[in-house]
Amino acid sequence: MLDFVDRAGNKLPHPFWLFVILSVLLVVVSALLAGFGVSVLSPADGKVVEVKSLISDAGVEVMLGDLIENFVNFPPLGLIVVVMLGVAVADGTGLLPALMRAALLRVPGRLVTFALALTCMFAHVAGDAAFVVMIPLGMIVFRAVGRSPIIDAVVAYVAVGGASSISPVIEGSDAIFAGLTTSAAHTIDPGYTVTPVANWYFSAASSLLLAITITLVTETIVARRVTAMNAAEAELTDVEELPDMSLSAAERKGVRRAVIAGVLYVLAVPR
């Protein structure tokens, strides 16, 4: 089954081309539905809205002429920019890597898989940088407890990529989802607003469930598969010395001050 998933996944086009294909399909479907005279009732005012073809002159004008306006008026754009600026500062100053290292520093060997999976959920706040940080960091942790780094690569990749946008903390995708949902809600109630924290309860509970699921699958299937490939022993002899994962005095001071600043900010924000 894993071999089949691997082969099928490798045959998928690049994500860029997936978006191009979907865009072309949207244009074709709009032309077909417009040709058949398909219409719907607007939930906001009950008026009949007919499907318009994107191949027509008006459709091309919408796709090209309104391109910049659509981008600028994209509801979550402002939140995304602010969140990404904050993430970039936290990552560039070393705060996020230090927090991730601290979370895995003293984890018992029997809990290392679950701890890594759950830490990856927190790392989603760093966006794509989570791949760069968590995979090598997890490999160091797994080697430190005498396990194959190959197992970590699978765990970290799945927990960061497969469980994307699921985190116990608010992150960038929450702002995107909130803006899109608010826009959709305005078709019925123009005054309705969905905040970035609206999905937090589901996301936090899902993080724990996914971390447990990843741990069970890893220990019952992935670890045995790696052992069967005789990869564990080979990997354990490739690296001469483990790098030091402990936080320096400056890093500990920086983390403490960041936590204090965060708490003070939350207390200062009007309820």
Side-chain angles (χ1 to χ4, degrees):
M1 179 62 184
L2 292 176
D3 290 337
F4 170 76
V5 172
D6 183 38
R7 289 193 301 269
N10 288 336
K11 292 181 180 180
L12 287 175
H14 189 279
F16 170 81
W17 291 112
L18 288 177
F19 277 101
V20 171
I21 293 170
L22 290 174
S23 298
V24 172
L25 287 176
L26 177 62
V27 172
V28 173
V29 170
S30 71
L32 290 175
L33 294 180
F36 285 108
V38 176
S39 62
V40 296
L41 292 177
S42 171
D45 51 20
K47 294 182 178 179
V48 176
V49 179
E50 297 181 351
V51 177
K52 298 180 180 179
S53 173
L54 291 173
I55 299 180
S56 63
D57 292 341
V60 174
E61 183 178 351
V62 168
M63 289 189 290
L64 300 180
D66 297 342
L67 183 63
I68 297 178
E69 182 180 354
N70 288 338
F71 176 75
V72 173
N73 293 330
F74 184 52
L77 179 61
L79 280 174
I80 293 172
V81 172
V82 174
V83 170
M84 290 299 101
L85 285 173
V87 170
V89 171
D91 183 51
T93 56
L95 175 62
L96 289 179
L99 289 173
M100 296 172 196
R101 282 161 51 203
L104 297 173
L105 192 57
R106 296 182 177 85
V107 177
R110 63 181 182 278
L111 297 177
V112 66
T113 303
F114 174 78
L116 176 62
L118 189 60
T119 303
C120 286
M121 305 293 172
F122 283 93
H124 288 163
V125 71
D128 291 338
F131 286 104
V132 180
V133 175
M134 292 309 302
I135 293 179
L137 179 59
M139 294 176 76
I140 296 172
V141 174
F142 266 64
R143 279 206 68 250
V145 297
R147 302 192 67 181
S148 171
I150 292 180
I151 303 175
D152 151 74
V154 175
V155 173
Y157 190 83
V158 170
V160 174
S164 179
S165 302
I166 296 296
S167 177
V169 295
I170 305 302
E171 40 110 8
S173 60
D174 292 308
I176 297 176
F177 298 152
L180 295 176
T181 309
T182 297
S183 297
H186 284 175
T187 61
I188 300 176
D189 183 359
Y192 195 85
T193 301
V194 180
T195 68
V197 299
N199 199 43
W200 181 81
Y201 292 102
F202 174 78
S203 184
S206 297
S207 298
L208 181 60
L209 177 62
L210 286 172
I212 294 173
T213 303
I214 291 172
T215 301
L216 292 175
V217 173
T218 299
E219 300 302 336
T220 57
I221 299 177
V222 177
R224 295 182 181 182
R225 184 176 175 86
V226 171
T227 301
M229 294 167 56
N230 295 322
E233 294 79 8
E235 288 293 328
L236 287 173
T237 59
D238 287 340
V239 181
E240 295 180 358
E241 184 179 354
L242 288 174
D244 184 14
M245 286 184 56
S246 60
L247 301 182
S248 65
E251 287 176 323
R252 289 195 295 270
K253 183 185 296 184
V255 170
R256 285 197 299 269
R257 290 181 176 179
V259 172
I260 292 173
V263 172
L264 293 177
Y265 175 78
V266 172
L267 293 176
V269 172
R271 298 298 191 274

